[in-house]
Protein backbone atom coordinates (compact mmCIF):
# COMPACT_ATOMS: atom_id res chain seq x y z
CA UNK A 1 0.00 0.00 0.00
CA UNK A 2 1.35 3.41 -0.93
CA UNK A 3 0.53 6.65 0.85
CA UNK A 4 2.08 9.39 -1.22
CA UNK A 5 5.71 8.41 -1.70
CA UNK A 6 5.68 6.15 1.36
CA UNK A 7 5.24 2.41 0.91
CA UNK A 8 3.65 0.45 3.76
CA UNK A 9 4.46 -3.22 3.28
CA UNK A 10 2.41 -6.23 4.25
CA UNK A 11 4.75 -7.14 7.11
CA UNK A 12 4.42 -3.62 8.53
CA UNK A 13 0.64 -3.86 8.29
CA UNK A 14 0.55 -7.30 9.96
CA UNK A 15 2.86 -6.06 12.72
CA UNK A 16 0.56 -3.13 13.44
CA UNK A 17 -2.48 -5.44 13.56
CA UNK A 18 -0.67 -7.84 15.93
CA UNK A 19 0.27 -4.94 18.25
CA UNK A 20 -3.31 -3.66 18.16
CA UNK A 21 -4.67 -7.12 19.02
CA UNK A 22 -2.28 -7.42 21.98
CA UNK A 23 -3.40 -4.03 23.30
CA UNK A 24 -7.08 -4.88 22.88
CA UNK A 25 -6.65 -8.28 24.56
CA UNK A 26 -4.83 -6.76 27.52
CA UNK A 27 -7.49 -4.06 27.95
CA UNK A 28 -10.33 -6.58 27.75
CA UNK A 29 -8.71 -9.00 30.20
CA UNK A 30 -7.29 -6.27 32.51
CA UNK A 31 -3.93 -8.03 32.27
CA UNK A 32 -1.88 -4.88 32.84
CA UNK A 33 0.69 -3.38 30.54
CA UNK A 34 0.86 -5.01 27.10
CA UNK A 35 4.49 -3.93 26.68
CA UNK A 36 6.09 -7.40 26.72
CA UNK A 37 3.38 -8.94 24.53
CA UNK A 38 3.56 -6.14 21.95
CA UNK A 39 7.35 -6.31 21.84
CA UNK A 40 7.15 -10.09 21.42
CA UNK A 41 4.69 -9.67 18.55
CA UNK A 42 6.99 -7.14 16.84
CA UNK A 43 10.08 -9.31 17.30
CA UNK A 44 8.35 -12.54 16.26
CA UNK A 45 6.50 -11.34 13.16
CA UNK A 46 8.68 -12.07 10.13
CA UNK A 47 8.22 -12.03 6.37
CA UNK A 48 6.53 -15.44 6.22
CA UNK A 49 4.89 -17.99 8.47
CA UNK A 50 7.81 -20.43 8.68
CA UNK A 51 10.22 -17.65 9.68
CA UNK A 52 7.71 -16.37 12.23
CA UNK A 53 7.27 -19.87 13.68
CA UNK A 54 11.03 -20.38 13.90
CA UNK A 55 11.73 -16.97 15.40
CA UNK A 56 8.70 -17.25 17.70
CA UNK A 57 10.00 -20.55 19.07
CA UNK A 58 13.41 -18.95 19.72
CA UNK A 59 11.76 -15.96 21.34
CA UNK A 60 9.61 -18.08 23.65
CA UNK A 61 12.57 -20.27 24.62
CA UNK A 62 14.80 -17.24 25.19
CA UNK A 63 12.20 -15.36 27.21
CA UNK A 64 11.43 -18.43 29.32
CA UNK A 65 15.13 -18.74 30.07
CA UNK A 66 15.30 -15.00 30.87
CA UNK A 67 12.27 -15.36 33.12
CA UNK A 68 13.83 -18.27 35.01
CA UNK A 69 17.09 -16.30 35.34
CA UNK A 70 15.10 -13.34 36.66
CA UNK A 71 13.39 -15.56 39.23
CA UNK A 72 16.72 -17.02 40.35
CA UNK A 73 18.13 -13.50 40.60
CA UNK A 74 15.29 -12.45 42.88
CA UNK A 75 15.57 -15.56 45.04
CA UNK A 76 19.30 -14.97 45.55
CA UNK A 77 18.82 -11.21 46.01
CA UNK A 78 16.75 -11.89 49.14
CA UNK A 79 19.93 -13.08 50.90
CA UNK A 80 21.78 -9.77 50.42
CA UNK A 81 21.44 -6.74 52.67
CA UNK A 82 22.74 -4.22 50.11
CA UNK A 83 20.50 -4.56 47.07
CA UNK A 84 22.44 -2.11 44.90
CA UNK A 85 25.75 -3.89 45.55
CA UNK A 86 24.12 -7.25 44.83
CA UNK A 87 22.68 -5.91 41.55
CA UNK A 88 26.14 -4.86 40.38
CA UNK A 89 27.36 -8.44 40.56
CA UNK A 90 24.26 -10.63 40.24
CA UNK A 91 22.66 -9.05 37.16
CA UNK A 92 25.82 -9.38 35.00
CA UNK A 93 26.26 -12.95 36.27
CA UNK A 94 22.72 -13.84 35.18
CA UNK A 95 23.24 -12.08 31.83
CA UNK A 96 26.26 -14.36 31.26
CA UNK A 97 24.28 -17.39 32.42
CA UNK A 98 21.38 -16.58 30.08
CA UNK A 99 23.69 -16.11 27.08
CA UNK A 100 25.73 -19.26 27.80
CA UNK A 101 22.66 -21.47 28.32
CA UNK A 102 20.99 -20.05 25.18
CA UNK A 103 24.13 -20.75 23.17
CA UNK A 104 24.38 -24.30 24.55
CA UNK A 105 20.73 -24.82 23.55
CA UNK A 106 21.59 -23.57 20.05
CA UNK A 107 19.16 -20.69 20.51
CA UNK A 108 21.22 -17.69 19.42
CA UNK A 109 18.11 -15.96 18.03
CA UNK A 110 16.57 -15.97 21.51
CA UNK A 111 19.53 -14.43 23.35
CA UNK A 112 18.50 -10.79 23.04
CA UNK A 113 14.92 -11.52 24.07
CA UNK A 114 16.09 -13.67 26.98
CA UNK A 115 18.50 -11.05 28.28
CA UNK A 116 15.88 -8.32 27.78
CA UNK A 117 13.37 -10.35 29.80
CA UNK A 118 15.93 -10.92 32.55
CA UNK A 119 16.75 -7.20 32.71
CA UNK A 120 13.11 -6.19 32.55
CA UNK A 121 12.26 -8.50 35.44
CA UNK A 122 15.38 -7.56 37.43
CA UNK A 123 14.80 -3.82 37.28
CA UNK A 124 11.02 -3.51 37.24
CA UNK A 125 9.65 -6.36 39.30
CA UNK A 126 7.65 -5.40 42.39
CA UNK A 127 9.09 -6.57 45.72
CA UNK A 128 6.02 -8.65 46.45
CA UNK A 129 4.75 -11.40 44.17
CA UNK A 130 7.96 -11.52 42.14
CA UNK A 131 7.28 -15.13 41.15
CA UNK A 132 3.82 -14.34 39.71
CA UNK A 133 5.20 -11.21 38.05
CA UNK A 134 7.98 -13.15 36.30
CA UNK A 135 5.59 -15.91 35.19
CA UNK A 136 3.17 -13.32 33.81
CA UNK A 137 5.93 -11.67 31.74
CA UNK A 138 6.80 -15.04 30.19
CA UNK A 139 3.10 -15.66 29.49
CA UNK A 140 2.95 -12.20 27.89
CA UNK A 141 5.71 -13.34 25.55
CA UNK A 142 3.63 -16.38 24.56
CA UNK A 143 0.60 -14.17 23.94
CA UNK A 144 2.45 -11.71 21.70
CA UNK A 145 4.23 -14.46 19.78
CA UNK A 146 1.04 -16.45 19.18
CA UNK A 147 -0.78 -13.34 17.99
CA UNK A 148 2.07 -12.67 15.53
CA UNK A 149 1.93 -16.27 14.29
CA UNK A 150 -1.86 -16.05 13.94
CA UNK A 151 -1.73 -12.91 11.77
CA UNK A 152 1.11 -14.26 9.66
CA UNK A 153 -0.99 -17.38 9.09
CA UNK A 154 -4.16 -15.42 8.24
CA UNK A 155 -2.56 -12.79 5.99
CA UNK A 156 -0.07 -14.43 3.65
CA UNK A 157 2.23 -12.54 1.36
CA UNK A 158 1.85 -13.05 -2.39
CA UNK A 159 5.31 -14.63 -2.38
CA UNK A 160 4.15 -17.26 0.14
CA UNK A 161 1.11 -18.02 -2.03
CA UNK A 162 3.40 -18.43 -5.06
CA UNK A 163 5.75 -20.71 -3.09
CA UNK A 164 2.81 -22.82 -1.91
CA UNK A 165 1.56 -23.07 -5.47
CA UNK A 166 5.00 -24.23 -6.66
CA UNK A 167 5.21 -26.77 -3.82
CA UNK A 168 1.74 -28.08 -4.68
CA UNK A 169 2.67 -28.46 -8.35
CA UNK A 170 5.91 -30.24 -7.43
CA UNK A 171 3.95 -32.59 -5.18
CA UNK A 172 1.51 -33.30 -8.00
CA UNK A 173 4.43 -34.13 -10.33
CA UNK A 174 5.92 -36.43 -7.71
CA UNK A 175 2.55 -38.17 -7.18
CA UNK A 176 2.13 -38.67 -10.94
CA UNK A 177 5.66 -40.04 -11.23
CA UNK A 178 4.86 -42.53 -8.45
CA UNK A 179 1.66 -43.55 -10.28
CA UNK A 180 3.59 -44.06 -13.51
CA UNK A 181 6.22 -46.09 -11.67
CA UNK A 182 3.51 -48.26 -10.10
CA UNK A 183 1.79 -48.74 -13.48
CA UNK A 184 5.12 -49.73 -15.04
CA UNK A 185 5.68 -52.30 -12.29
CA UNK A 186 2.15 -53.68 -12.83
CA UNK A 187 2.78 -53.97 -16.58
CA UNK A 188 6.08 -55.78 -15.96
CA UNK A 189 4.37 -58.24 -13.59
CA UNK A 190 1.65 -58.95 -16.15
CA UNK A 191 4.28 -59.52 -18.86
CA UNK A 192 6.24 -61.89 -16.63
CA UNK A 193 3.18 -63.89 -15.67
CA UNK A 194 2.08 -64.25 -19.29
CA UNK A 195 5.50 -65.57 -20.42
Amino acid sequence: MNIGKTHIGLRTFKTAIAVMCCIILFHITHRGSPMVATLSAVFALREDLSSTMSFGKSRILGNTLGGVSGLLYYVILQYFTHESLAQIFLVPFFVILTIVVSTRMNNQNGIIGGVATLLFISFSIPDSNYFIYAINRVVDTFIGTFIAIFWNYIIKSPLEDKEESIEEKEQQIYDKEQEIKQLQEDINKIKKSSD
Side-chain angles (χ1 to χ4, degrees), residues 21-179:
C21 288
C22 288
I23 294 168
I24 291 169
L25 179 66
F26 275 62
H27 282 297
I28 290 171
T29 60
H30 305 288
R31 187 159 173 79
S33 172
M35 182 174 65
V36 173
T38 55
L39 285 172
S40 294
V42 170
F43 289 139
L45 207 138
R46 299 290 163 193
E47 55 279 344
D48 58 32
L49 184 60
S50 64
S51 298
T52 298
M53 294 286 286
S54 174
F55 199 84
K57 176 183 159 195
S58 292
R59 178 100 176 129
I60 287 171
L61 186 59
N63 283 25
T64 302
L65 180 59
V68 169
S69 294
L71 282 174
L72 291 173
Y73 162 76
Y74 252 89
V75 167
I76 293 171
L77 186 64
Q78 305 307 309
Y79 295 101
F80 287 86
T81 53
H82 299 321
E83 184 177 329
S84 58
L85 187 61
Q87 274 185 346
I88 291 170
F89 295 103
L90 287 177
V91 171
F93 169 77
F94 280 105
V95 166
I96 290 170
L97 183 67
T98 302
I99 293 170
V100 168
V101 172
S102 288
T103 302
R104 296 283 293 157
M105 296 172 75
N106 199 24
N107 188 34
Q108 287 80 0
N109 288 336
I111 290 174
I112 293 173
V115 171
T117 300
L118 164 66
L119 296 174
F120 184 77
I121 290 171
S122 298
F123 296 121
S124 67
I125 200 166
D127 287 334
S128 60
N129 297 325
Y130 61 87
F131 181 78
I132 299 297
Y133 184 84
I135 295 297
N136 279 328
R137 296 306 68 85
V138 173
V139 169
D140 292 350
T141 301
F142 278 83
I143 291 169
T145 301
F146 287 133
I147 287 173
I149 290 169
F150 172 78
W151 283 108
N152 228 348
Y153 177 77
I154 295 297
I155 304 172
K156 294 186 179 178
S157 72
L159 182 60
E160 280 183 284
D161 286 341
K162 187 182 287 186
E163 286 175 3
E164 283 182 6
S165 178
I166 290 171
E167 287 176 8
E168 288 171 2
K169 300 271 188 228
E170 288 174 342
Q171 184 62 44
Q172 288 173 357
I173 290 171
Y174 176 79
D175 291 343
K176 296 293 183 191
E177 287 173 343
Q178 294 304 315
E179 275 184 54

